Amino acid sequence: MDGNVTIKDVAALAGVSPSTVSRVLNGNYRQHMTPATRDRVHAAIDALRYTPLRSARSLRRQRSHVLAVVLPDISNPFFSLLARGVESIAFGTGCSTMICNSDHSPTKERHYLEILLAEQALGIVYIPTSTPDDEGLKRLARSGARIVVADRVVPGFPSVRADNAGGSRALAEYVLRCGYRRIAYLAGPADVSTARERLEGFRAALDAAGVQPVAIEHGPFTCEAGYDLSTKLARSARVDALVAANDMMALGVLRAVEDAGLSVPDHVGVAGFDHAPWTTYLRPQLTTVEVPALQIGEVAAGQLLSEVAEDACLPTRLIEGETCVSCR
Amino acid sequence: MDGNVTIKDVAALAGVSPSTVSRVLNGNYRQHMTPATRDRVHAAIDALRYTPLRSARSLRRQRSHVLAVVLPDISNPFFSLLARGVESIAFGTGCSTMICNSDHSPTKERHYLEILLAEQALGIVYIPTSTPDDEGLKRLARSGARIVVADRVVPGFPSVRADNAGGSRALAEYVLRCGYRRIAYLAGPADVSTARERLEGFRAALDAAGVQPVAIEHGPFTCEAGYDLSTKLARSARVDALVAANDMMALGVLRAVEDAGLSVPDHVGVAGFDHAPWTTYLRPQLTTVEVPALQIGEVAAGQLLSEVAEDACLPTRLIEGETCVSCR
DNA sequence: TTGTAAGCGTTATCAG
DNA sequence: CTGATAACGCTTACAA
């Protein structure tokens, strides 16, 4: 076993000093470097298959190669796609991608932010739980980590997200165009910015059309919440359309409508938000709004690695499925 | 800005030497330590909110806190759930979880294994592409990294996976019990061990019942492959059941059968494998086999962190959906 | 039971 | 244009 080959081995083989190897490695030769020397170093690097040790480099530079993505649940398809976007950019620049699954728990999230401090993470794509850890973020920022919020909004940090309000407005307009008028809206959790934006866009479109929503109910972004809320609504009010703030809730709605002996879209129209992959395979296919998760991750990671970081709002796209019909 | 608080600061505040702090941190006091000293150190650590710098620790120990999970695609729900299992165990032991998305590319995977060498990763949960990087693995193992293969099999390394053969056999027996006899099997890629095991179990059950499969076709684990293969089969042979090696393929099958103007399960039975979350929401609900992805990740990560690492085979579970009917 | 000091592999500063 | 050298923060013999 050869143990580790170090920068000294490379230097020895190339007949130069470690500093020269380091300079080749980091492209730090302002006043130029003899091409011959550089070539010899490169040859030695290749010959020994040398790769600098990350811990030594990080210790010296006081900054690691880690790009972290802090998110509520990696097994949620939306977030895993976003993470994939981050990873693809990170890989392209030689960074490692660390997954910090907060599990919707502010405590676990806080713990992770502390670990990231100890890791001297280069950058962090941050998708907060409903209560962001302001202090942890501030400490990280002060220590020199770059931070970009994704999908949600946290005051004081640049944020990359989808045009939730616009997408929601477009969806509402589409529902209205279909002829639905007694519309109920199942909003997500009141304390999640994404949910608030979607609600806002939805309201704006109805207002503009002079239509009053039959009801607006808040609840978690889950199938169960969608089921329970819509069951209640179906009993208490005559609605002709149920619009949910995300696809999981919409799925619950579909099942509730079915269980009430009604059919979609003949008796009642249904729509969601997110365009989760499986919605394409539902029959009838769900009418929803596509949110570019992969792109959000890519753009957020890109901002971390570039010098400027500014708010970005990516466009959404209406998916005209089969759960809303236009001929009413 | 206070920069970083180091072990020296803690030592100074507690009135001890850095080594003593280090010993408290690592529980390395064989011949005991005055409780008073230990308490003072703990107090200082808390007061300063001190966390050891990972890079310094790794450099000295020649081993990092990184648990890596190398997988083909983090946006695939099966793998993201597995990754979540790894993360939950890693977090519990203060390790960081690094995601290495090979994107089904042996080249990208090889690149990642080199990075893991430079990271001095503590352990690696390895889900190979169809062609594992034997040399990279060997180098990693030689360098002291612990490696556990998950979901698949790579000779020479312990492997944690589901009982694919057993699950597939159980499914085949169920299909036979339902009364289906003209059964076609859509196997996955011939070079993926998971697919081979499922095929093997399926064959064994049919053999035992003295039933000849109408056809066995190989193809990638995709919706498209499922669609194309079953369209062809539907034309060329009269089948009464189409069993796919995973749920994505099964979904393609469902659409193909529909497009052929036939209905499931009245005209033809369908089954899949994996129990992807969305299969529950299909109507009719897909008959399939549950594979414990989360648990595979947990067990694999557990093995990395324990002293022993041995093959593990986790049980699967038949999900009796609505795409196979028993009254024929 | 605790302190001293060397060294892990790199890089940045400063000479030459 | 290149080489010494010190330092990054921590752990671990070895001493005391």
Side-chain angles (χ1 to χ4, degrees):
Chain A
M1 66 128 242
D2 37 276
N4 296 326
V5 24
T6 77
I7 200 171
K8 284 187 183 174
D9 302 323
V10 177
L13 180 60
V16 297
S17 77
S19 350
T20 300
V21 178
S22 174
R23 275 188 284 257
V24 171
L25 244 35
N26 300 290
N28 270 348
Y29 26 90
R30 304 180 192 169
Q31 316 98 323
H32 287 296
M33 173 174 233
T34 312
T37 313
R38 201 180 49 221
D39 291 348
R40 253 181 312 133
V41 171
H42 273 131
I45 289 174
D46 291 347
L48 299 177
R49 299 168 119 280
Y50 167 69
T51 320
L53 205 61
R54 300 253 171 156
S55 58
R57 188 176 265 212
S58 304
L59 176 57
R60 181 56 231 234
R61 292 225 195 120
Q62 294 291 296
R63 195 51 51 204
S64 77
H65 285 266
V66 167
L67 237 58
V69 42
V70 178
L71 40 70
D73 179 8
I74 185 67
S75 69
N76 174 319
F78 178 82
F79 295 129
S80 69
L81 195 52
L82 194 156
R84 196 172 178 319
V86 173
E87 183 274 342
S88 89
I89 299 296
F91 181 77
T93 55
C95 284
S96 307
T97 305
M98 207 182 120
I99 291 291
C100 306
N101 202 79
S102 66
D103 219 354
H104 296 279
S105 149
T107 308
K108 194 173 172 195
E109 186 190 287
R110 186 163 35 243
H111 204 121
Y112 259 127
L113 295 192
E114 254 159 44
I115 291 179
L116 293 179
L117 209 54
E119 290 275 7
Q120 302 191 290
L122 182 60
I124 297 158
V125 174
Y126 180 58
I127 306 168
T129 62
S130 46
T131 54
D133 177 10
D134 286 311
E135 200 217 321
L137 287 175
K138 234 159 265 167
R139 295 218 299 159
L140 274 164
R142 234 184 307 130
S143 86
R146 300 179 61 81
I147 299 172
V148 170
V149 176
D151 186 46
R152 302 184 181 178
V153 172
V154 176
F157 294 93
S159 145
V160 175
R161 56 198 215 292
D163 181 12
N164 286 296
S168 196
R169 201 176 319 120
L171 175 63
E173 285 162 1
Y174 176 76
V175 170
L176 288 168
R177 263 204 314 284
C178 285
Y180 298 98
R181 284 299 176 273
R182 300 194 54 78
I183 307 171
Y185 188 75
L186 307 193
D191 54 2
V192 170
S193 64
T194 314
R196 280 198 305 268
E197 291 166 8
R198 291 176 189 175
L199 172 56
E200 195 184 303
F202 180 82
R203 268 193 160 128
L206 260 60
D207 280 356
V211 172
Q212 275 290 325
V214 173
I216 291 181
E217 302 278 350
H218 283 274
F221 273 147
T222 63
C223 195
E224 289 70 33
Y227 188 93
D228 295 344
L229 291 174
S230 53
T231 300
K232 215 176 59 181
L233 281 170
R235 285 213 200 94
S236 64
R238 220 175 42 233
V239 299
D240 62 5
L242 284 157
V243 179
N246 87 335
D247 288 348
M248 286 306 294
M249 294 184 93
L251 188 60
V253 173
L254 289 173
R255 297 295 155 251
V257 171
E258 208 166 82
D259 288 358
L262 303 172
S263 98
V264 175
D266 296 335
H267 299 122
V268 50
V270 173
F273 210 103
D274 273 351
H275 194 42
W278 46 263
T279 60
T280 310
Y281 310 131
L282 293 175
R283 289 299 175 269
Q285 188 193 320
L286 185 64
T287 293
T288 184
V289 174
E290 184 184 63
V291 176
L294 185 77
Q295 240 191 83
I296 293 178
E298 290 173 341
V299 171
Q303 301 232 354
L304 288 182
L305 296 166
S306 78
E307 283 317 301
V308 293
E310 47 191 12
D311 286 336
C313 188
L314 307 180
T316 56
R317 191 165 63 95
L318 179 67
I319 304 293
E320 302 186 10
E322 305 156 344
T323 55
C324 286
V325 290
S326 34
C327 44
R328 294 177 78 87
Chain B
M1 67 128 243
D2 37 276
N4 296 326
V5 24
T6 77
I7 200 171
K8 283 187 183 173
D9 302 322
V10 177
L13 180 60
V16 297
S17 76
S19 19
T20 301
V21 178
S22 173
R23 277 187 283 255
V24 171
L25 245 34
N26 300 289
N28 270 349
Y29 24 94
R30 303 178 191 169
Q31 314 100 323
H32 288 295
M33 174 173 230
T34 312
T37 312
R38 201 179 49 221
D39 291 347
R40 251 181 313 132
V41 171
H42 273 131
I45 288 175
D46 292 346
L48 299 177
R49 299 168 120 285
Y50 168 70
T51 321
L53 207 61
R54 299 251 169 157
S55 58
R57 189 177 267 211
S58 304
L59 176 57
R60 180 58 231 236
R61 292 224 195 120
Q62 293 290 297
R63 194 53 50 204
S64 77
H65 285 267
V66 168
L67 237 59
V69 43
V70 178
L71 40 69
D73 178 9
I74 185 66
S75 68
N76 174 319
F78 178 81
F79 295 129
S80 68
L81 195 52
L82 194 155
R84 196 173 177 324
V86 173
E87 182 275 341
S88 89
I89 300 297
F91 181 77
T93 55
C95 284
S96 308
T97 305
M98 206 182 121
I99 292 290
C100 306
N101 202 79
S102 66
D103 219 354
H104 296 282
S105 149
T107 308
K108 193 172 172 196
E109 185 189 288
R110 186 161 38 241
H111 204 122
Y112 259 127
L113 294 191
E114 254 159 44
I115 291 179
L116 292 179
L117 209 54
E119 291 274 7
Q120 302 193 290
L122 183 59
I124 297 158
V125 174
Y126 180 58
I127 307 169
T129 62
S130 46
T131 54
D133 176 11
D134 286 311
E135 200 216 322
L137 287 175
K138 235 160 265 165
R139 293 218 299 160
L140 273 164
R142 235 183 308 130
S143 86
R146 299 180 60 83
I147 299 171
V148 170
V149 176
D151 186 47
R152 303 186 179 176
V153 172
V154 176
F157 293 93
S159 145
V160 175
R161 56 196 214 291
D163 181 12
N164 286 296
S168 195
R169 201 178 316 120
L171 175 64
E173 285 162 1
Y174 175 77
V175 170
L176 288 167
R177 264 204 314 283
C178 284
Y180 299 98
R181 284 298 176 274
R182 300 193 53 79
I183 308 170
Y185 189 74
L186 307 194
D191 53 2
V192 170
S193 65
T194 314
R196 282 198 305 269
E197 292 165 8
R198 292 176 189 176
L199 172 56
E200 196 184 303
F202 179 82
R203 267 193 161 127
L206 259 61
D207 278 359
V211 172
Q212 275 291 323
V214 173
I216 290 181
E217 303 278 352
H218 283 273
F221 273 147
T222 63
C223 196
E224 289 71 33
Y227 188 93
D228 296 343
L229 292 173
S230 53
T231 300
K232 214 176 61 183
L233 281 171
R235 285 215 198 93
S236 65
R238 220 179 37 234
V239 298
D240 62 5
L242 283 157
V243 179
N246 87 338
D247 288 348
M248 287 305 294
M249 294 185 91
L251 188 59
V253 173
L254 288 173
R255 297 295 156 249
V257 171
E258 209 167 81
D259 287 357
L262 303 172
S263 99
V264 175
D266 296 335
H267 299 123
V268 50
V270 172
F273 211 104
D274 273 351
H275 193 41
W278 46 262
T279 59
T280 309
Y281 309 130
L282 293 174
R283 289 299 175 268
Q285 187 194 324
L286 185 65
T287 293
T288 182
V289 175
E290 184 184 64
V291 177
L294 185 79
Q295 236 190 87
I296 292 178
E298 290 173 340
V299 171
Q303 301 231 355
L304 288 182
L305 296 165
S306 76
E307 283 318 300
V308 293
E310 47 190 13
D311 287 335
C313 187
L314 307 180
T316 57
R317 191 165 64 96
L318 179 67
I319 305 292
E320 303 185 10
E322 305 155 344
T323 55
C324 286
V325 289
S326 33
C327 46
R328 294 177 78 85

